[in-house]
mmCIF file of all heavy atoms in Angstrom:
data_model
loop_
_atom_site.group_PDB
_atom_site.id
_atom_site.type_symbol
_atom_site.label_atom_id
_atom_site.label_comp_id
_atom_site.label_asym_id
_atom_site.label_seq_id
_atom_site.Cartn_x
_atom_site.Cartn_y
_atom_site.Cartn_z
ATOM 1 N N ARG A 235 169.669 -17.759 45.249
ATOM 2 C CA ARG A 235 169.176 -19.144 45.281
ATOM 3 C C ARG A 235 169.288 -19.715 46.695
ATOM 4 O O ARG A 235 168.360 -20.355 47.189
ATOM 5 C CB ARG A 235 169.964 -20.013 44.297
ATOM 6 C CG ARG A 235 169.530 -19.851 42.862
ATOM 7 C CD ARG A 235 170.130 -20.922 41.982
ATOM 8 N NE ARG A 235 171.574 -20.811 41.868
ATOM 9 C CZ ARG A 235 172.199 -20.083 40.944
ATOM 10 N NH1 ARG A 235 171.503 -19.417 40.065
ATOM 11 N NH2 ARG A 235 173.501 -20.045 40.902
ATOM 12 N N GLU A 236 170.427 -19.478 47.345
ATOM 13 C CA GLU A 236 170.602 -19.958 48.716
ATOM 14 C C GLU A 236 169.615 -19.270 49.655
ATOM 15 O O GLU A 236 169.050 -19.901 50.542
ATOM 16 C CB GLU A 236 172.038 -19.699 49.193
ATOM 17 C CG GLU A 236 173.060 -20.552 48.510
ATOM 18 C CD GLU A 236 172.869 -22.025 48.798
ATOM 19 O OE1 GLU A 236 172.513 -22.375 49.936
ATOM 20 O OE2 GLU A 236 173.075 -22.832 47.883
ATOM 21 N N PHE A 237 169.410 -17.987 49.437
ATOM 22 C CA PHE A 237 168.483 -17.223 50.270
ATOM 23 C C PHE A 237 167.072 -17.789 50.134
ATOM 24 O O PHE A 237 166.385 -18.023 51.120
ATOM 25 C CB PHE A 237 168.535 -15.755 49.851
ATOM 26 C CG PHE A 237 167.665 -14.859 50.680
ATOM 27 C CD1 PHE A 237 168.000 -14.566 51.985
ATOM 28 C CD2 PHE A 237 166.521 -14.302 50.149
ATOM 29 C CE1 PHE A 237 167.209 -13.730 52.754
ATOM 30 C CE2 PHE A 237 165.717 -13.469 50.904
ATOM 31 C CZ PHE A 237 166.075 -13.192 52.210
ATOM 32 N N ARG A 238 166.654 -18.060 48.901
ATOM 33 C CA ARG A 238 165.319 -18.600 48.660
ATOM 34 C C ARG A 238 165.166 -19.970 49.313
ATOM 35 O O ARG A 238 164.150 -20.267 49.946
ATOM 36 C CB ARG A 238 165.051 -18.697 47.162
ATOM 37 C CG ARG A 238 163.639 -19.143 46.847
ATOM 38 C CD ARG A 238 163.333 -19.252 45.357
ATOM 39 N NE ARG A 238 163.960 -18.250 44.551
ATOM 40 C CZ ARG A 238 164.842 -18.534 43.575
ATOM 41 N NH1 ARG A 238 165.167 -19.773 43.308
ATOM 42 N NH2 ARG A 238 165.377 -17.572 42.868
ATOM 43 N N ALA A 239 166.185 -20.819 49.173
ATOM 44 C CA ALA A 239 166.117 -22.154 49.772
ATOM 45 C C ALA A 239 166.031 -22.067 51.288
ATOM 46 O O ALA A 239 165.269 -22.817 51.922
ATOM 47 C CB ALA A 239 167.330 -22.977 49.353
ATOM 48 N N ALA A 240 166.780 -21.148 51.888
ATOM 49 C CA ALA A 240 166.757 -21.007 53.347
ATOM 50 C C ALA A 240 165.406 -20.475 53.821
ATOM 51 O O ALA A 240 164.874 -20.928 54.832
ATOM 52 C CB ALA A 240 167.885 -20.094 53.805
ATOM 53 N N VAL A 241 164.852 -19.519 53.089
ATOM 54 C CA VAL A 241 163.552 -18.971 53.466
ATOM 55 C C VAL A 241 162.482 -20.046 53.352
ATOM 56 O O VAL A 241 161.642 -20.196 54.247
ATOM 57 C CB VAL A 241 163.201 -17.737 52.596
ATOM 58 C CG1 VAL A 241 161.757 -17.338 52.755
ATOM 59 C CG2 VAL A 241 164.113 -16.577 52.955
ATOM 60 N N GLU A 242 162.509 -20.829 52.291
ATOM 61 C CA GLU A 242 161.532 -21.906 52.132
ATOM 62 C C GLU A 242 161.692 -22.955 53.227
ATOM 63 O O GLU A 242 160.709 -23.522 53.705
ATOM 64 C CB GLU A 242 161.668 -22.538 50.756
ATOM 65 C CG GLU A 242 161.168 -21.638 49.643
ATOM 66 C CD GLU A 242 161.464 -22.185 48.259
ATOM 67 O OE1 GLU A 242 162.110 -23.259 48.159
ATOM 68 O OE2 GLU A 242 161.073 -21.543 47.287
ATOM 69 N N ALA A 243 162.927 -23.211 53.652
ATOM 70 C CA ALA A 243 163.159 -24.194 54.710
ATOM 71 C C ALA A 243 162.617 -23.690 56.047
ATOM 72 O O ALA A 243 162.111 -24.485 56.843
ATOM 73 C CB ALA A 243 164.639 -24.505 54.828
ATOM 74 N N THR A 244 162.701 -22.387 56.314
ATOM 75 C CA THR A 244 162.190 -21.861 57.580
ATOM 76 C C THR A 244 160.666 -21.810 57.577
ATOM 77 O O THR A 244 160.048 -21.994 58.617
ATOM 78 C CB THR A 244 162.731 -20.445 57.872
ATOM 79 O OG1 THR A 244 162.419 -19.591 56.789
ATOM 80 C CG2 THR A 244 164.210 -20.481 58.112
ATOM 81 N N ARG A 245 160.074 -21.577 56.445
ATOM 82 C CA ARG A 245 158.612 -21.491 56.366
ATOM 83 C C ARG A 245 157.959 -22.863 56.357
ATOM 84 O O ARG A 245 156.774 -22.990 56.603
ATOM 85 C CB ARG A 245 158.191 -20.735 55.113
ATOM 86 C CG ARG A 245 158.497 -19.276 55.195
ATOM 87 C CD ARG A 245 157.980 -18.560 53.985
ATOM 88 N NE ARG A 245 158.294 -17.140 54.073
ATOM 89 C CZ ARG A 245 158.339 -16.341 53.057
ATOM 90 N NH1 ARG A 245 158.085 -16.780 51.848
ATOM 91 N NH2 ARG A 245 158.635 -15.072 53.216
ATOM 92 N N GLY A 246 158.705 -23.874 56.041
ATOM 93 C CA GLY A 246 158.149 -25.220 55.974
ATOM 94 C C GLY A 246 157.679 -25.524 54.563
ATOM 95 O O GLY A 246 157.702 -24.665 53.680
ATOM 96 N N PRO A 247 157.262 -26.763 54.341
ATOM 97 C CA PRO A 247 156.847 -27.134 52.985
ATOM 98 C C PRO A 247 155.582 -26.386 52.580
ATOM 99 O O PRO A 247 154.622 -26.299 53.330
ATOM 100 C CB PRO A 247 156.599 -28.641 53.075
ATOM 101 C CG PRO A 247 156.351 -28.891 54.526
ATOM 102 C CD PRO A 247 157.137 -27.850 55.287
ATOM 103 N N ALA A 248 155.615 -25.827 51.423
ATOM 104 C CA ALA A 248 154.443 -25.112 50.902
ATOM 105 C C ALA A 248 153.579 -26.092 50.121
ATOM 106 O O ALA A 248 154.079 -26.949 49.399
ATOM 107 C CB ALA A 248 154.890 -23.976 49.999
ATOM 108 N N ASP A 249 152.288 -25.964 50.292
ATOM 109 C CA ASP A 249 151.369 -26.820 49.549
ATOM 110 C C ASP A 249 151.327 -26.351 48.105
ATOM 111 O O ASP A 249 151.160 -25.164 47.824
ATOM 112 C CB ASP A 249 149.963 -26.763 50.137
ATOM 113 C CG ASP A 249 149.917 -27.355 51.540
ATOM 114 O OD1 ASP A 249 150.765 -28.215 51.827
ATOM 115 O OD2 ASP A 249 149.048 -26.946 52.324
ATOM 116 N N ALA A 250 151.497 -27.279 47.211
ATOM 117 C CA ALA A 250 151.459 -26.949 45.792
ATOM 118 C C ALA A 250 150.025 -26.595 45.414
ATOM 119 O O ALA A 250 149.076 -27.223 45.900
ATOM 120 C CB ALA A 250 151.942 -28.119 44.957
ATOM 121 N N PRO A 251 149.836 -25.588 44.568
ATOM 122 C CA PRO A 251 148.471 -25.250 44.164
ATOM 123 C C PRO A 251 147.855 -26.406 43.374
ATOM 124 O O PRO A 251 148.524 -27.056 42.584
ATOM 125 C CB PRO A 251 148.645 -24.014 43.275
ATOM 126 C CG PRO A 251 150.068 -24.043 42.847
ATOM 127 C CD PRO A 251 150.832 -24.741 43.930
ATOM 128 N N LYS A 252 146.580 -26.649 43.648
ATOM 129 C CA LYS A 252 145.881 -27.745 42.977
ATOM 130 C C LYS A 252 145.683 -27.369 41.508
ATOM 131 O O LYS A 252 145.186 -26.300 41.180
ATOM 132 C CB LYS A 252 144.527 -27.986 43.630
ATOM 133 C CG LYS A 252 143.767 -29.112 43.005
ATOM 134 C CD LYS A 252 142.409 -29.278 43.627
ATOM 135 C CE LYS A 252 141.614 -30.301 42.859
ATOM 136 N NZ LYS A 252 140.236 -30.336 43.284
ATOM 137 N N GLU A 253 146.087 -28.269 40.650
ATOM 138 C CA GLU A 253 145.905 -28.040 39.224
ATOM 139 C C GLU A 253 144.545 -28.592 38.817
ATOM 140 O O GLU A 253 144.163 -29.686 39.208
ATOM 141 C CB GLU A 253 147.005 -28.719 38.431
ATOM 142 C CG GLU A 253 148.365 -28.102 38.672
ATOM 143 C CD GLU A 253 149.421 -28.681 37.753
ATOM 144 O OE1 GLU A 253 149.067 -29.207 36.689
ATOM 145 O OE2 GLU A 253 150.587 -28.589 38.117
ATOM 146 N N LEU A 254 143.854 -27.809 38.048
ATOM 147 C CA LEU A 254 142.525 -28.213 37.597
ATOM 148 C C LEU A 254 142.651 -29.149 36.414
ATOM 149 O O LEU A 254 143.482 -28.953 35.528
ATOM 150 C CB LEU A 254 141.706 -26.992 37.198
ATOM 151 C CG LEU A 254 141.374 -26.001 38.307
ATOM 152 C CD1 LEU A 254 140.649 -24.805 37.727
ATOM 153 C CD2 LEU A 254 140.533 -26.660 39.380
ATOM 154 N N SER A 255 141.800 -30.149 36.393
ATOM 155 C CA SER A 255 141.773 -31.041 35.245
ATOM 156 C C SER A 255 141.066 -30.316 34.101
ATOM 157 O O SER A 255 140.420 -29.281 34.279
ATOM 158 C CB SER A 255 141.032 -32.335 35.590
ATOM 159 O OG SER A 255 139.668 -32.050 35.810
ATOM 160 N N LEU A 256 141.166 -30.873 32.927
ATOM 161 C CA LEU A 256 140.517 -30.279 31.763
ATOM 162 C C LEU A 256 139.006 -30.240 31.943
ATOM 163 O O LEU A 256 138.352 -29.251 31.595
ATOM 164 C CB LEU A 256 140.880 -31.059 30.506
ATOM 165 C CG LEU A 256 140.356 -30.509 29.194
ATOM 166 C CD1 LEU A 256 140.831 -29.068 28.994
ATOM 167 C CD2 LEU A 256 140.793 -31.360 28.041
ATOM 168 N N ALA A 257 138.453 -31.274 32.560
ATOM 169 C CA ALA A 257 137.004 -31.310 32.798
ATOM 170 C C ALA A 257 136.597 -30.186 33.747
ATOM 171 O O ALA A 257 135.564 -29.522 33.539
ATOM 172 C CB ALA A 257 136.593 -32.663 33.371
ATOM 173 N N ASP A 258 137.418 -29.945 34.800
ATOM 174 C CA ASP A 258 137.113 -28.851 35.734
ATOM 175 C C ASP A 258 137.204 -27.492 35.046
ATOM 176 O O ASP A 258 136.388 -26.602 35.276
ATOM 177 C CB ASP A 258 138.070 -28.890 36.927
ATOM 178 C CG ASP A 258 137.857 -30.119 37.802
ATOM 179 O OD1 ASP A 258 136.742 -30.687 37.767
ATOM 180 O OD2 ASP A 258 138.805 -30.502 38.514
ATOM 181 N N GLN A 259 138.212 -27.329 34.182
ATOM 182 C CA GLN A 259 138.361 -26.063 33.452
ATOM 183 C C GLN A 259 137.163 -25.828 32.531
ATOM 184 O O GLN A 259 136.662 -24.705 32.430
ATOM 185 C CB GLN A 259 139.662 -26.071 32.646
ATOM 186 C CG GLN A 259 140.911 -26.048 33.500
ATOM 187 C CD GLN A 259 142.173 -26.189 32.655
ATOM 188 O OE1 GLN A 259 142.144 -26.096 31.430
ATOM 189 N NE2 GLN A 259 143.292 -26.423 33.332
ATOM 190 N N LEU A 260 136.716 -26.864 31.846
ATOM 191 C CA LEU A 260 135.553 -26.734 30.955
ATOM 192 C C LEU A 260 134.296 -26.407 31.761
ATOM 193 O O LEU A 260 133.473 -25.579 31.337
ATOM 194 C CB LEU A 260 135.338 -28.018 30.155
ATOM 195 C CG LEU A 260 136.353 -28.275 29.043
ATOM 196 C CD1 LEU A 260 136.154 -29.671 28.461
ATOM 197 C CD2 LEU A 260 136.222 -27.223 27.964
ATOM 198 N N ALA A 261 134.133 -27.026 32.924
ATOM 199 C CA ALA A 261 132.969 -26.748 33.762
ATOM 200 C C ALA A 261 132.991 -25.296 34.231
ATOM 201 O O ALA A 261 131.944 -24.620 34.239
ATOM 202 C CB ALA A 261 132.947 -27.696 34.963
ATOM 203 N N GLN A 262 134.170 -24.780 34.599
ATOM 204 C CA GLN A 262 134.272 -23.376 35.009
ATOM 205 C C GLN A 262 133.934 -22.444 33.850
ATOM 206 O O GLN A 262 133.243 -21.441 34.025
ATOM 207 C CB GLN A 262 135.684 -23.066 35.522
ATOM 208 C CG GLN A 262 135.955 -23.565 36.914
ATOM 209 C CD GLN A 262 137.354 -23.163 37.388
ATOM 210 O OE1 GLN A 262 138.173 -22.701 36.606
ATOM 211 N NE2 GLN A 262 137.607 -23.367 38.669
ATOM 212 N N ALA A 263 134.423 -22.774 32.651
ATOM 213 C CA ALA A 263 134.149 -21.934 31.488
ATOM 214 C C ALA A 263 132.666 -21.931 31.166
ATOM 215 O O ALA A 263 132.085 -20.880 30.845
ATOM 216 C CB ALA A 263 134.958 -22.424 30.282
ATOM 217 N N ARG A 264 132.012 -23.090 31.266
ATOM 218 C CA ARG A 264 130.563 -23.159 31.007
ATOM 219 C C ARG A 264 129.785 -22.360 32.038
ATOM 220 O O ARG A 264 128.838 -21.648 31.702
ATOM 221 C CB ARG A 264 130.096 -24.612 31.024
ATOM 222 C CG ARG A 264 130.529 -25.392 29.807
ATOM 223 C CD ARG A 264 129.966 -26.799 29.811
ATOM 224 N NE ARG A 264 130.508 -27.543 28.702
ATOM 225 C CZ ARG A 264 131.187 -28.679 28.821
ATOM 226 N NH1 ARG A 264 131.388 -29.215 30.005
ATOM 227 N NH2 ARG A 264 131.648 -29.287 27.757
ATOM 228 N N ALA A 265 130.196 -22.455 33.308
ATOM 229 C CA ALA A 265 129.512 -21.711 34.369
ATOM 230 C C ALA A 265 129.690 -20.208 34.161
ATOM 231 O O ALA A 265 128.744 -19.429 34.319
ATOM 232 C CB ALA A 265 130.052 -22.124 35.741
ATOM 233 N N ALA A 266 130.888 -19.780 33.769
ATOM 234 C CA ALA A 266 131.130 -18.356 33.525
ATOM 235 C C ALA A 266 130.302 -17.875 32.339
ATOM 236 O O ALA A 266 129.731 -16.776 32.356
ATOM 237 C CB ALA A 266 132.620 -18.112 33.274
ATOM 238 N N ARG A 267 130.215 -18.703 31.278
ATOM 239 C CA ARG A 267 129.427 -18.334 30.106
ATOM 240 C C ARG A 267 127.950 -18.237 30.473
ATOM 241 O O ARG A 267 127.257 -17.305 30.053
ATOM 242 C CB ARG A 267 129.638 -19.366 29.002
ATOM 243 C CG ARG A 267 129.067 -18.924 27.662
ATOM 244 C CD ARG A 267 129.322 -19.898 26.515
ATOM 245 N NE ARG A 267 130.624 -20.528 26.548
ATOM 246 C CZ ARG A 267 130.825 -21.857 26.662
ATOM 247 N NH1 ARG A 267 129.800 -22.678 26.731
ATOM 248 N NH2 ARG A 267 132.040 -22.351 26.681
ATOM 249 N N ALA A 268 127.475 -19.176 31.277
ATOM 250 C CA ALA A 268 126.075 -19.152 31.699
ATOM 251 C C ALA A 268 125.793 -17.917 32.549
ATOM 252 O O ALA A 268 124.731 -17.292 32.416
ATOM 253 C CB ALA A 268 125.740 -20.424 32.478
ATOM 254 N N ALA A 269 126.741 -17.536 33.412
ATOM 255 C CA ALA A 269 126.556 -16.355 34.247
ATOM 256 C C ALA A 269 126.527 -15.088 33.394
ATOM 257 O O ALA A 269 125.740 -14.168 33.641
ATOM 258 C CB ALA A 269 127.662 -16.270 35.286
ATOM 259 N N ARG A 270 127.395 -15.044 32.360
ATOM 260 C CA ARG A 270 127.405 -13.868 31.470
ATOM 261 C C ARG A 270 126.076 -13.791 30.705
ATOM 262 O O ARG A 270 125.515 -12.721 30.510
ATOM 263 C CB ARG A 270 128.576 -13.961 30.490
ATOM 264 C CG ARG A 270 129.892 -13.563 31.090
ATOM 265 C CD ARG A 270 130.937 -13.346 29.991
ATOM 266 N NE ARG A 270 131.030 -14.444 29.048
ATOM 267 C CZ ARG A 270 131.877 -15.487 29.167
ATOM 268 N NH1 ARG A 270 132.657 -15.572 30.199
ATOM 269 N NH2 ARG A 270 131.910 -16.429 28.258
ATOM 270 N N THR A 271 125.609 -14.936 30.236
ATOM 271 C CA THR A 271 124.366 -14.963 29.488
ATOM 272 C C THR A 271 123.203 -14.548 30.360
ATOM 273 O O THR A 271 122.350 -13.745 29.962
ATOM 274 C CB THR A 271 124.105 -16.381 28.913
ATOM 275 O OG1 THR A 271 125.229 -16.768 28.146
ATOM 276 C CG2 THR A 271 122.866 -16.405 28.063
ATOM 277 N N ALA A 272 123.166 -15.019 31.590
ATOM 278 C CA ALA A 272 122.089 -14.685 32.508
ATOM 279 C C ALA A 272 122.167 -13.214 32.912
ATOM 280 O O ALA A 272 121.150 -12.541 33.060
ATOM 281 C CB ALA A 272 122.155 -15.560 33.759
ATOM 282 N N GLY A 273 123.368 -12.683 33.021
ATOM 283 C CA GLY A 273 123.534 -11.278 33.415
ATOM 284 C C GLY A 273 123.228 -10.317 32.291
ATOM 285 O O GLY A 273 122.861 -9.153 32.538
ATOM 286 N N SER A 274 123.312 -10.720 31.047
ATOM 287 C CA SER A 274 123.073 -9.795 29.939
ATOM 288 C C SER A 274 121.582 -9.686 29.594
ATOM 289 O O SER A 274 121.219 -8.903 28.726
ATOM 290 C CB SER A 274 123.874 -10.240 28.705
ATOM 291 O OG SER A 274 123.384 -11.478 28.239
ATOM 292 N N GLY A 275 120.733 -10.499 30.196
ATOM 293 C CA GLY A 275 119.315 -10.407 29.944
ATOM 294 C C GLY A 275 118.840 -11.275 28.804
ATOM 295 O O GLY A 275 117.680 -11.225 28.430
ATOM 296 N N ALA A 276 119.708 -12.068 28.224
ATOM 297 C CA ALA A 276 119.294 -12.948 27.125
ATOM 298 C C ALA A 276 118.534 -14.132 27.695
ATOM 299 O O ALA A 276 118.762 -14.562 28.806
ATOM 300 C CB ALA A 276 120.517 -13.433 26.362
#
């Protein structure tokens, strides 16, 4: 734990990964579904 804290302190503050909202997740799922549909020839 001390080692991890020291390493994080030397590297500086890490940017937290951006969390997607539910609307963004749904938009990604729709885009992926549309890409699969377009790729299958339907």
Side-chain angles (χ1 to χ4, degrees):
R235 281 192 294 271
E236 290 296 322
F237 183 71
R238 185 180 323 119
V241 168
E242 288 173 358
T244 56
R245 289 184 180 159
D249 294 333
K252 181 183 173 189
E253 293 187 23
L254 296 176
S255 67
L256 184 57
D258 293 337
Q259 292 175 11
L260 287 172
Q262 283 183 349
R264 287 184 186 122
R267 191 177 322 118
R270 281 194 309 268
T271 305
S274 66

